[in-house]
Amino acid sequence: MKYNEDETNNDICWGRNSVFSLLEDYPERCSKVLLAKNIQPHIREKVQGLLRSANVVLQYVDNQVLDRVTNKENHQGIVAYSVPMELMDIEDVVSSLPSVPDAAMIILCDHIQDPHNLGAIIRTAEVAGASAVVIPKRGGCLPTGTVVKTSAGAALRVPLAKIGNIAQAIEYLQKSGFWIIGLAMEADETLFKGDIPKRAVFVIGSEGEGIGKLVAKSCDELRSIPMSGKTGSLNASVAAGLAMFEWSRINKFAI
């Protein structure tokens, strides 16, 4: 069967961890898998095993096809087509969480532009124990194949919610019992001052711009990450990771 690149109603993810996560956790979302003809036998056997009970098309193609489909990303010889990822409404996310006063952490991205950053944030959110990652419908990147790949498949497991207006979302989360902390370089208070509420939302600003002025005013407080050297700033995903694990240290992993 000849490979058809016209898959306009599907998204793609690539790389072994990402595709394996999709096939293991959500096989119903997968419509087709492309496998390099020269893939190692143990990878081929694993994919065949995962597809044995799923109604998913498997095609063997040349590496050049995979290079073209992924725009020469590191696909590791495997690409999966899936139905577009569904994003939750923030109200549904909140209603699914443990009630007050149980601990819960949400990450709110203020127009993150780089899909690698978003993927890294989602990956860290999963391992740090975050309940959800919230992204705006417009003005920032959405969970594409690059995000799934960078997140090592975590984007398929961590609840992702969409919002129209960040300031309004913050107001809703405040009324739902969350304390909103914006990460801002200019903030006088440090992230490590020692107290982070059990129910917290961290607002992560976009690369270069940081969090917007209106968003900053909507937060309950702003905190900065103390730094040495001359670089002057941290990658958005690194800053988010520090915040998430500081929350976890205080509220989840403390002995």
Side-chain angles (χ1 to χ4, degrees):
M1 180 166 49
K2 184 178 179 181
Y3 168 64
N4 178 15
E5 287 190 42
D6 186 17
E7 297 280 354
T8 54
N9 292 324
N10 291 269
D11 195 6
I12 63 171
C13 67
W14 56 87
R16 294 170 191 174
N17 288 338
S18 299
V19 175
F20 290 164
S21 292
L22 176 65
L23 295 177
E24 289 169 350
D25 299 332
Y26 301 99
E28 71 280 0
R29 293 191 62 244
C30 185
S31 60
K32 180 188 292 186
V33 173
L34 305 181
L35 207 58
K37 292 178 179 178
N38 62 345
I39 198 76
Q40 297 97 321
H42 72 282
I43 300 298
R44 181 176 62 249
E45 291 170 6
K46 180 167 183 176
V47 172
Q48 290 173 339
L50 290 171
L51 294 180
R52 194 162 289 131
S53 59
N55 186 25
V56 179
V57 175
L58 174 62
Q59 288 184 255
Y60 293 94
V61 298
D62 294 326
N63 268 302
Q64 292 90 327
V65 171
L66 300 179
D67 290 340
R68 186 164 62 249
V69 169
T70 62
N71 197 24
K72 296 185 177 181
E73 292 279 359
N74 181 24
H75 50 70
Q76 298 178 309
I78 184 169
V79 171
Y81 281 89
S82 63
V83 297
M85 188 176 298
E86 292 185 9
L87 300 179
M88 301 175 67
D89 292 327
I90 193 168
E91 293 83 1
D92 294 331
V93 168
V94 171
S95 65
S96 69
L97 298 179
S99 58
V100 178
D102 290 342
M105 170 176 54
I106 292 175
I107 307 304
L108 199 167
C109 298
D110 183 5
H111 299 103
I112 296 291
Q113 302 293 322
D114 185 347
H116 295 90
N117 269 337
L118 181 58
I121 288 171
I122 295 171
R123 179 174 184 171
T124 304
E126 181 181 40
V127 297
S131 298
V133 175
V134 180
I135 57 178
K137 296 177 184 177
R138 301 176 183 84
C141 63
L142 296 173
T144 60
T146 299
V147 173
V148 174
K149 166 67 175 175
T150 308
S151 74
L156 300 169
R157 297 183 293 271
V158 175
L160 304 178
K162 64 182 184 299
I163 53 173
N165 182 284
I166 296 177
Q168 290 177 2
I170 288 175
E171 182 180 2
Y172 172 76
L173 289 167
Q174 287 169 328
K175 290 179 179 178
S176 300
F178 284 90
W179 184 258
I180 316 298
I181 302 172
L183 295 186
M185 291 175 54
E186 67 275 11
D188 295 327
E189 204 70 70
T190 173
L191 172 66
F192 308 117
K193 73 174 187 176
D195 62 323
I196 298 178
K198 284 186 175 182
R199 298 178 74 84
V201 174
F202 288 108
V203 182
I204 313 300
S206 63
E207 304 86 349
E209 299 294 328
I211 60 177
K213 292 183 179 179
L214 179 59
V215 173
K217 290 181 179 178
S218 301
C219 294
D220 292 304
E221 64 172 319
L222 301 178
R223 297 198 189 186
S224 61
I225 298 172
M227 289 176 281
S228 301
K230 297 181 180 180
T231 303
S233 64
L234 287 173
N235 176 280
S237 63
V238 174
L242 287 169
M244 285 187 262
F245 273 101
E246 180 65 3
W247 176 89
S248 294
R249 183 188 68 82
I250 294 171
N251 295 299
K252 193 168 184 179
F253 300 142
I255 298 176

